[in-house]
């Protein structure tokens, strides 16, 4: 078979791939074709099987059925070594970097340069610098990876693939954690790579990005390929319905807010990060019942520390936090939970779930010690299971069952478990930090709708997000954080993308 | 105005060196200065104590290296005590019955290796809890050596000091450094070699990667299971050598439970040395010094204190050091976590 554009053999072809996990058919006879030098976007709901397909192509999972062809020839890919040998490189959804190693050590790992028995790191660093210049990918070979921002870590991952001469590059949700500027940088790099004949598979949930950069778009749903199209033939709405299998409302429709009394009041709060650097400086604001206050800002401008202080995970240096007019003790999550504060954390795997625990147990993490889930010192399984069944149904969590470990769920379904747990209590205040990061359009629609519903029940909502669209469509009022300070407060009606973008970058003051 | 991305300054190479090897440097300096002063007062005793320090540190350093290879690759080994004990026993038996010291040492090393293989099988292949796996090794060794122990069995000789030509005639250092039995020399070489292997070779880079982030290592084509097996077995060889040292070089006979907790102390040395061979060696020297010192105190016998109190010194110091002075030592991130593909 040959590609229609160039007449050359396909860079990569996956035929009839089937992969089963216990209780899940993750890939169901999937066909996928990648042309030379193109950017091919792979779209699909959370849990549709995109990462699974890529892991099969990269040799991390062995498929139950199917073949893979590279450059028109069938190849056997039994492990990542085979994939690397056939010029396949992959940047994983969760980065595969050793945090305590230097950039150079991470890049050469597995394909080291040696002189005699000794590692030749000088030579490696020279090669990395050359690659980094050639492709405009700025990396410092001697930096330690754990000190790098996510955008930089991602460049390291790409250089790592190029260092192995990757001609086929898989990028699994590369933009989920990037700032808009970093994402634009990445697209420039991707174009540069395809100009040099690299073929790219690009997974994302952001439809705008797909339409802007892809040559072809393949959509998956529930383990199957639904179809392949091009940006010319479709639009956001069309892609969304293809993914979800029904029409999706991309705009949030909500009535004007009717703010009531103040629920959360923050006075002159200052918080340090773990390195002792002041991350939040003298911040004051309030959130009223029945409104959504959006905190906009580029990641790393103090939002994480602010939310941690508000949810009792970090002790502030100074200032006061008042809930319904009463001062709350610092560093006391249980107090906050009992007084109706819900938290959707930024890092769902680290602060949102106990990954080895079942979905059912995760759903009662904040209430397990109360009636009816416990009596005396004893845990009661039956009410816990009943609750799990009801919530899985209501929040449409896609899982083999309530006893599946949370760690086996796809990212989007993990997020739904957290949202289900947090919204199923009596609430006064909901603190949501990047609540839809990495989620598909259907799940985003669902979570947005729930948040508006919560607001309309006269609950105060604090939304922290780096996504301008999310802030603009959900928030009733917006504050912008920059370098730990609140630099602007505005009504959503007066806010535009451009204005917010400037404020977030620290200019336009 | 500052940029949005904040770069943390990279620590200078000197401060990084001190952070990793501060322990070793401090211990060696202290011993050097102390012995310099003490040598000017009582040269004979000083020489004896220092020579004994090096020898007492040998099994600790070897045991610490054993723990280090395992943990750097992600396998916790608390069975070092058992590996040492059983190896000490087999090495001794071979020497007693065959009368060949070299063969005895080899069989000791082999015993450690086989026990390492067993531990790797339990913790890598069966994904058993690694603490339980190590405990199995210990119980096995205590049981076997206790059951087959023969009272009064003696061996024809033990490993003798080899003076290194004219170097051995130097004052102080000659006696301390250049007139030692073979396993003591070998240990110094192995410490240096391990430092080199772990931080300057392909093997070391891969070993550390597997101990920090096995999945990342897997994605670049490194066989995680193989690396863990190999490193645990290498560690077993070192623990076996430590066992052989006890019976064939230090004591010359086998006693029940003669390891006396050295395998566990070795783990403490590894932590004290922040999972670095040189650091662990420095820590072993410190504890070796207290062994030597307390023996000397017991010999002098002038003070009216029961000898058991002096015997406590190394253990007491270990507790103090571990509780107070280790600082923020960071174990390998995947230490003790079984790896599962898919
Ligand atoms: N290691 C595993 N064990 C068991 N089930 C798994 C495993 N990995 C994935 N699954 C299941 O296979 C299905 C497909 O998962 P996959 O990670 O491929 O989805 P995805 O399309 O990448 O989703 P997302 O957009 O959330 O990343 C999901 O139902 C998931 O629960
Ligand atoms: Mg995925």
């Amino acid at each position: 078979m040959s590609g229609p554009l160039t007449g050359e053999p396909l860079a990569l072809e996956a035929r009839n791939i089937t992969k089963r996990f216990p209780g899940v058919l993750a890939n169901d006879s999937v066909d996928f074709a990648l042309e030379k030098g193109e950017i091919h976007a792979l779209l699909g709901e959370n849990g549709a099987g995109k990462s699974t397909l890529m892991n099969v192509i990269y040799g991390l999972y062995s498929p139950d059925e199917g073949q893979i062809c590279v450059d028109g020839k069938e190849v056997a890919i039994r492990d990542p070594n085979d994939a690397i040998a056939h010029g396949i490189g992959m940047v994983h959804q969760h980065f595969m970097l050793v945090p305590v190693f230097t950039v150079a050590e991470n890049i050469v790992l597995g394909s080291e340069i040696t002189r005699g028995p000794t590692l030749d790191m000088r030579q490696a660093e020279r090669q990395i610098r050359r690659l980094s210049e050639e492709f405009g990918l700025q990396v410092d070979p001697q930096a330690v990876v754990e000190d790098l921002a996510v955008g930089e870590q991602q460049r390291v991952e790409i250089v790592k693939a190029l260092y192995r001469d990757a001609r086929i590059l898989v990028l699994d949700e590369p933009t989920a954690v990037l700032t808009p500027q970093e994402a634009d940088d990445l697209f420039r790099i991707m174009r540069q790579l395809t100009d040099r004949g690299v073929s790219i598979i690009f997974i994302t949930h952001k439809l705008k990005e797909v339409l802007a950069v892809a040559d072809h778009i393949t959509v998956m749903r529930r383990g199957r390929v639904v179809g392949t199209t091009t940006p010319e033939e479709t639009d956001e709405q069309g892609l969304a319905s293809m993914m979800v299998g029904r029409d999706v409302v991309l705009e949030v429709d909500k009535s004007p807010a009717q703010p009531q009394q103040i629920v959360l009041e923050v006075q002159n709060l200052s918080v340090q990060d773990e390195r002792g650097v002041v991350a939040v400086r003298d911040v004051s604001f309030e959130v009223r019942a029945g409104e959504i206050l959006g905190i906009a800002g580029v990641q790393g401008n103090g939002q994480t520390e602010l939310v941690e202080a508000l949810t009792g995970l970090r002790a502030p240096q100074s200032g006061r936090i008042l809930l319904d007019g009463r001062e709350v003790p610092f560093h006391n999550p249980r107090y906050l939970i009992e007084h109706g504060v819900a938290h959707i954390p930024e890092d769902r795997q680290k602060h949102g779930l106990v990954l080895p625990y079942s979905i059912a147990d995760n759903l009662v993490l904040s209430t397990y010690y109360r009636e009816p889930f416990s009596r005396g010192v004893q845990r009661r399984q039956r009410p816990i299971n009943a609750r799990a069944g009801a919530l899985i149904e209501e929040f449409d969590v896609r899982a083999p069952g309530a006893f599946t470990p949370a760690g086996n769920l796809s990212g989007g379904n993990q997020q739904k478990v957290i949202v289900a747990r947090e919204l199923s209590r009596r609430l006064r205040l909901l603190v949501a930090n990047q609540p839809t990061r990495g989620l598909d359009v259907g799940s985003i629609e669902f979570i947005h709708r729930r948040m508006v519903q919560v607001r309309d029940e006269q609950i105060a909502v604090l939304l922290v997000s780096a996504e301008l669209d999310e802030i603009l469509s959900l928030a009733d009022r917006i504050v912008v954080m920059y370098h730990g300070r609140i630099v602007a407060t505005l009504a959503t009606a007066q806010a535009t993308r451009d204005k917010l973008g400037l404020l977030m970058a620290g200019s336009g003051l | 105005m500052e940029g949005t991305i904040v770069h943390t300054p990279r620590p200078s190479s000197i401060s990084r060196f001190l952070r990793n090897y501060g322990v070793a440097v401090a211990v060696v300096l202290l011993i050097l200065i102390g012995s310099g002063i003490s040598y000017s007062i009582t040269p004979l005793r000083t020489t004896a104590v220092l020579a004994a320090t090096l020898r007492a540190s040998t099994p600790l350093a070897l045991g610490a290296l054993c723990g280090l290879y395992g943990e750097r690759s992600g396998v916790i080994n608390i069975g070092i005590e058992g590996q040492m004990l059983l190896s000490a026993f087999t090495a001794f038996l071979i020497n007693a019955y065959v009368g060949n010291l070299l063969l005895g040492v080899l069989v000791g090393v082999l015993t450690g290796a086989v026990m390492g293989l067993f531990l790797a099988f339990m913790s890598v292949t069966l994904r058993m809890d690694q603490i339980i796996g190590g405990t199995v090794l210990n119980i096995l060794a205590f049981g076997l050596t206790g059951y087959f122990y023969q009272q009064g069995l003696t061996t024809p000789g033990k490993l003798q000091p080899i003076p290194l030509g004219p170097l051995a005639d130097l004052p102080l250092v000659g006696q301390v450094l250049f007139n030692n039995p073979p396993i003591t020399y070998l240990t110094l070489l192995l410490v240096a070699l391990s430092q080199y292997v772990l931080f300057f070779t392909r093997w070391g880079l891969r070993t550390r990667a597997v101990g920090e982030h096995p999945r990342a290592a897997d994605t670049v084509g490194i066989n995680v299971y193989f690396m863990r097996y190999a490193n645990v077995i290498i560690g077993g060889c070192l623990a076996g050598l430590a066992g052989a040292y006890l019976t064939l070089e230090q004591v010359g006979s086998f006693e029940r439970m003669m390891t006396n907790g050295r395998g566990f102390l070795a783990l403490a040395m590894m932590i004290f040395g922040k999972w670095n061979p040189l650091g662990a060696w420095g820590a072993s020297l410190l504890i070796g010094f207290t062994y030597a010192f307390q023996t000397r105190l017991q010999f002098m016998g002038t003070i009216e204190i029961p000898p058991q109190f002096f015997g406590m010194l190394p253990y007491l110091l270990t507790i103090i050091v571990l509780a107070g002075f280790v600082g923020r030592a960071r174990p390998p991130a995947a230490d003790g976590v079984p790896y599962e593909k898919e």
Side-chain angles (χ1 to χ4, degrees), chain A residues 318-379:
Chain A
S318 59
R320 304 206 305 160
I321 301 169
L322 297 119
L323 193 62
D324 286 320
R326 248 177 308 156
E327 187 160 354
V328 303
F330 287 159
H331 219 291
N332 189 343
R334 174 66 61 88
Y335 176 94
L336 294 168
I337 288 171
E338 304 221 313
H339 286 77
V341 178
H343 178 206
I344 301 174
E346 180 177 17
D347 185 336
R348 54 179 161 254
Q349 303 204 331
K350 211 152 131 197
H351 297 130
L353 296 166
V354 183
L355 292 176
Y357 281 17
S358 68
I359 298 176
D361 285 347
N362 269 295
L363 283 171
V364 294
L365 272 190
S366 47
T367 42
Y368 68 91
Y369 58 95
R370 320 197 74 167
E371 295 264 359
F373 307 123
S374 282
R375 182 170 291 161
V377 292
Q378 213 183 358
R379 210 172 84 110

Side-chain angles (χ1 to χ4, degrees), chain A residues 45-52 55 93-94 172-173 203 205 410-411 438:
Chain A
E45 288 179 291
N46 295 118
K50 305 177 298 289
S51 297
T52 303
N55 283 330
Q93 192 167 359
H94 306 281
D172 194 350
E173 291 192 37
I203 300 180
H205 289 293
S410 76

Side-chain angles (χ1 to χ4, degrees), chain A residues 44-66:
Chain A
E45 288 179 291
N46 295 118
K50 305 177 298 289
S51 297
T52 303
L53 179 64
M54 294 305 117
N55 283 330
V56 166
I57 290 173
Y58 193 64
L60 279 171
Y61 292 169
S62 46
D64 298 312
E65 280 165 49

Side-chain angles (χ1 to χ4, degrees), chain B residues 169-181:
Chain B
D169 298 331
L170 294 170
L172 188 60
V173 282
Q175 277 307 304
V176 175
L177 288 181
F178 303 115
N179 190 12
N180 283 305

Side-chain angles (χ1 to χ4, degrees), chain A residues 58 81 112 118-119 140 275, chain B residues 8 10 196 200 206 219 221:
Chain A
Y58 193 64
N81 274 327
E112 300 85 354
T118 309
L119 283 177
D140 171 5
R275 280 181 271 186
Chain B
T8 36
R10 195 175 304 147
Y196 168 73
F200 298 96
R206 293 181 175 192
T219 59

Side-chain angles (χ1 to χ4, degrees), chain B residues 258-294:
Chain B
M258 73 183 301
T259 42
N260 219 347
R262 283 185 184 82
F264 295 111
L265 279 186
L267 275 180
M269 303 303 98
M270 169 192 77
I271 295 169
F272 191 18
K274 306 200 165 168
W275 286 267
N276 290 313
L278 280 182
W281 178 65
S284 306
L285 277 184
L286 180 65
I287 302 303
F289 176 70
T290 58
Y291 266 111
F293 192 63
Q294 59 100 358

Side-chain angles (χ1 to χ4, degrees), chain A residues 471-482:
Chain A
I471 292 274
L472 283 168
S473 60
L474 274 185
D476 302 307
R477 275 189 314 131
I478 300 172
V479 298
V480 181
M481 266 186 95
Y482 178 72

